[in-house]
Structures are given as structure tokens and as C-alpha cells.
Amino acid sequence: KGDVLTTKLLPPLLHTMLTFISLSIIFLLMRLLLFQIIDQEINPHVDKWEEEGMFPAHKIFKVLGNAGFLGVSKPVEYGGLGLDFSYSLAVAEELGNIDCGGIPMAIGVQSDMATPALARFGSDELKKEFLQPSIAGDLVACLGVSEVGAGSDVASIKTKAVRDGDEYVITGGKMWTTSGAQADWMCLLANTSEGLPHKNKSLICLPMNLPGVHVARKIDKIGMKSSDTAEVFFDDVRVPCKNVIGQEGMGFTYQMLQFQEERLWGVANILTMMERVIQETIGYTRQRKIFGLPVLYHQTVHFRLAELQTEVELLRALLHQATALYIRGNDVTKMASMAKLKAGRLARELGDSCLQYWGGMGFTSDVLVSRFYRDSRLMSIGAGADEVMLSIICKYMDTLPRK
């Protein structure tokens, strides 16, 4: 009977299987819901938002927050779903069905780039003030790491947070800040002491409405048009010392951990878009004729598309392997770097090849492949350039020149 057979009496393996099946069914329903949100609330407006150079983050994030998509792997007590990181990547893949790269990127910043360190190391007070409303979609978050003279070289940032009593006084600036023009708070990396560059930094929750915070400009980019990217300056901004995430001086380490999730998230997201570009190219070249035959029927075309699809599946296998290791608590810095490196290079290769088969139409702004061609170029630059990924991989292979 139901009142006798409880989960506590089930054999452990069966209990695990039932839990897995239940989670799988629930998440399948969630993916269907997310697809519906994309189809009804986002894609019909993408062209307009691309033209305007910004999408309404507060509106869209509230829709996503109400549905539970901004805190999939975050703690339940702060409004998250409490699932492991693989479910966040499943959401990232589904977000690849958005008809541009900018909006998924901004969503990823909110859910898996600006908030992991806060969720893992932040105080209960900080989580209630910043994490919980971010998961709910009530606050828009941004990540302040890159600067004019310090992009992939995070250790070289110059922004300072000098302690004055129970406050920090922050001076400096941040560049390439996704959602920076409409964010409510920033996860800021700043130098909080004069020590070694890997041990003198802290992550700080910085409200964007404080006196001295200036959004200098919204940067005009060649791609990711619908995502606002800002340059932000700090002129003697005062923030309570209690706004430090975790331990003072551990910010560089925390940010490196955040980068693991950010890079895996980016790979998962771009996989879906790459598949979409291949499928749309197949559809277009099947009906477009040249010299009396569909473009697709020329061997150089269908062979090339087969090669690209093979590369996509190989990248997916690498992502899944890295994710499986990560959720078991392993350091996957090397594999995450490999996956991001491959994703960036493959996206450029795939975008160029597929655009070529669209002919003149590929050179217009009317088709998905041309938008992908522009948007995907960032994959080899943002969150660590290809060359930095190669250096990280070489470090783990012990092949870097010795000093």
C-alpha cells in the first residue's frame, strides 16, 4: 500500500532510478516550457531588439525567473531548483533556439557567470540581497572583470577597492560589461590589497545605483547586437565591506572557478545554434539550384556539411565528458579550456562554410547564418581568448617554457 511503501523502504538503486526518472520527466517538461517562452516571448521580437541594440532584460528575466530557469543549479533556499550543473547546460542548449547570440549570452551571465561564486561562497545576507532576486528575475546582474588594459589577463586588472573603516572606496573602470547598461548590480573583481596579483583580489557585490557609478557608453559591436555591452567607471564608490563574496583576497581564485562554468555554458549554448545553421543550410541548398542541380547535391557541399556535423558531435562528446567530471567535483579547467577553444574555432569554420553555400543571401542580414557568422566570432575572444585557452592547456600538459 502507498502508506507502507515509502521511498525510505525502496532499495537504494531503485530509489536512485525513480529519482532520476522523475527529474528527467520534470526537466523534459521544463525544456518544453522554455521552448514555448522562446517561441512566444523572445523570437518574435529579436529582429527589433537587434536593430535597437538592446533587449528588455528586466521583462525577459522576470518571465524566465518565474519559470525557474535562472537558478537551475542554485540552492533551493534562495529560489533555485537545486539540480546539478548538467541541468544548467541543458537549459543553455535549449537557449540556442533563440534567433541570435546576444540574448542567450545575457541570460547566461545572469544564471551562470555572475552568480556562481556568490551562490557557493557568499554570506547568507548577500545571497538574500543579490542572489535570490537575481534567480527570481527581479534584478539584472552583470560581471565586472575585463578592463581596457586587462581582458583575458585577469591578473592585470587595475580597479581598486581601498578599505576605509567598514567600507571600500572603489576607483577604476570595467569594459565589455554584458548587460552593463541596464544591470542592477555587478559582481565586481577588484584589487583589495597590494599583494601578489593572484592573491590581492576580491569579488564584491556592487549595486549599480550607488553614487559614483557611471555607465559611460553602450559599446557598438559587430555582433551580439541585442545584448547591451557597456563601459563602466567607478569614481570613489563606497560599498560596505560585508559585500565581499567569501574571503577577501580570494577573488581571483573564485573567478577562475566561475570561468569553468562560464566556458562550459558557452559551449553548450553554441552547439544548438551550430546545429540549426547546418540544418538551415541543408534546407536552403536543397532547394537552391546551380547548373541544373541543387547546391546540396554537389559532393563538395554535402561532404563538407557531413564533416561539420561530425565536428559538432565530437565537441558535444567532449562537453558531456567534462560536465560529468565537473559535477563529481573534479577540476575540469583543462577540458573546459579545450572545449571552449574547439567551440570558438569550429563556430568560425562552420559559419564561414555555411555562409558560403548561401551565396549572396548569406551576405545579407536577412538570414540566420549571417547573424551567426557575426555573433559567434566572440566565442574565440570572450571569457578567455583562444590563445589563453592554449596556454592553460599547455600548463596542464607541462609544455610551457620554464622561467
Side-chain angles (χ1 to χ4, degrees):
K1 292 182 179 181
D3 58 343
V4 175
L5 183 59
T6 66
T7 53
K8 291 183 179 180
L9 297 177
L10 290 173
L13 179 58
L14 181 56
H15 180 234
T16 301
M17 289 174 61
L18 289 174
T19 301
F20 175 77
I21 293 170
S22 298
L23 285 174
S24 299
I25 293 172
I26 291 171
F27 207 75
L28 175 60
L29 294 174
M30 288 188 66
R31 291 189 76 159
L32 292 173
L33 174 59
L34 181 54
F35 184 83
Q36 186 179 40
I37 291 172
I38 292 169
D39 188 54
Q40 296 178 4
E41 303 287 342
I42 300 177
N43 278 345
H45 311 289
V46 164
D47 289 343
K48 176 174 177 286
W49 295 336
E50 285 276 300
E51 188 175 334
E52 294 174 349
M54 184 183 292
F55 78 103
H58 286 89
K59 177 184 176 182
I60 297 303
F61 286 3
K62 187 57 184 172
V63 172
L64 293 169
N66 285 341
F69 292 114
L70 298 181
V72 172
S73 58
K74 298 299 187 295
V76 174
E77 55 267 34
Y78 300 103
L81 299 183
L83 302 172
D84 68 53
F85 186 62
S86 66
Y87 290 91
S88 291
L89 296 189
V91 169
E93 288 190 40
E94 197 64 46
L95 290 171
N97 287 303
I98 296 176
D99 290 339
C100 66
I103 297 172
M105 177 177 67
I107 296 170
V109 169
Q110 179 86 0
S111 62
D112 292 278
M113 300 178 200
T115 51
L118 175 58
R120 187 180 301 182
F121 303 109
S123 66
D124 179 65
E125 183 179 355
L126 281 182
K127 290 175 185 177
K128 287 179 178 176
E129 184 177 355
F130 295 100
L131 180 63
Q132 191 165 342
S134 297
I135 291 172
D138 295 323
L139 295 183
V140 173
C142 65
L143 179 63
V145 175
S146 294
E147 299 179 1
V148 173
S152 296
D153 183 10
V154 175
S156 296
I157 65 166
K158 303 300 182 185
T159 297
K160 291 184 178 181
V162 179
R163 186 182 285 269
D164 181 21
D166 60 355
E167 292 180 320
Y168 287 113
V169 180
I170 300 173
T171 56
K174 293 297 176 179
M175 192 70 165
W176 321 118
T177 308
T178 299
S179 300
Q182 50 185 329
D184 299 295
W185 72 279
M186 174 186 286
C187 179
L188 170 73
L189 185 68
N191 296 314
T192 48
S193 72
E194 297 296 331
L196 296 172
H198 297 92
K199 296 181 179 180
N200 72 336
K201 295 169 175 54
S202 302
L203 285 175
I204 302 170
C205 293
L206 173 74
M208 293 289 282
N209 62 355
L210 291 176
V213 177
H214 305 290
V215 178
R217 64 186 174 113
K218 186 163 73 70
I219 299 167
D220 187 22
K221 313 181 296 295
I222 66 170
M224 301 291 193
K225 293 282 190 178
S226 53
S227 170
D228 61 284
T229 307
E231 183 175 13
V232 184
F233 290 110
F234 311 109
D235 183 15
D236 292 334
V237 180
R238 288 187 169 270
V239 182
C241 293
K242 66 181 182 179
N243 280 29
V244 168
I245 296 173
Q247 297 179 40
E248 183 180 290
M250 287 293 292
F252 184 88
T253 300
Y254 294 161
Q255 185 53 45
M256 293 304 105
L257 293 173
Q258 284 195 142
F259 274 146
Q260 287 195 51
E261 295 193 2
E262 178 175 348
R263 289 162 184 165
L264 292 173
W265 197 99
V267 173
N269 180 246
I270 207 168
L271 273 172
T272 301
M273 184 59 86
M274 286 196 284
E275 282 197 310
R276 291 181 65 198
V277 169
I278 290 174
Q279 289 305 312
E280 291 212 2
T281 302
I282 290 172
Y284 181 73
T285 56
R286 194 188 301 277
Q287 57 86 24
R288 179 174 178 256
K289 291 187 177 181
I290 186 169
F291 306 128
L293 283 175
V295 172
L296 183 65
Y297 289 5
H298 293 269
Q299 188 182 75
T300 186
V301 176
H302 56 251
F303 271 18
R304 180 62 180 142
L305 292 173
E307 289 175 339
L308 292 171
Q309 185 66 57
T310 300
E311 292 291 318
V312 168
E313 295 306 324
L314 288 169
L315 177 59
R316 190 192 313 279
L318 175 58
L319 172 66
H320 288 177
Q321 183 182 3
T323 304
L325 290 170
Y326 182 69
I327 62 178
R328 294 191 196 109
N330 295 286
D331 176 12
V332 295
T333 302
K334 181 176 76 170
M335 294 186 71
S337 302
M338 288 176 169
K340 184 188 177 299
L341 172 69
K342 181 60 180 177
R345 292 186 170 182
L346 178 57
R348 290 152 64 185
E349 190 179 343
L350 186 148
D352 186 68
S353 292
C354 288
L355 187 146
Q356 183 72 21
Y357 300 146
W358 283 74
M361 282 302 298
F363 201 63
T364 70
S365 298
D366 300 332
V367 292
L368 183 68
V369 64
S370 62
R371 185 175 289 164
F372 175 79
Y373 181 84
R374 297 190 307 272
D375 289 351
S376 64
R377 188 62 182 84
L378 182 61
M379 190 69 187
S380 287
I381 301 172
D386 282 1
E387 293 73 20
V388 175
M389 297 303 100
L390 286 166
S391 294
I392 293 171
I393 295 164
C394 288
K395 178 183 177 182
Y396 277 82
M397 293 175 66
D398 194 26
T399 58
L400 287 176
R402 301 189 185 281
K403 297 180 181 180

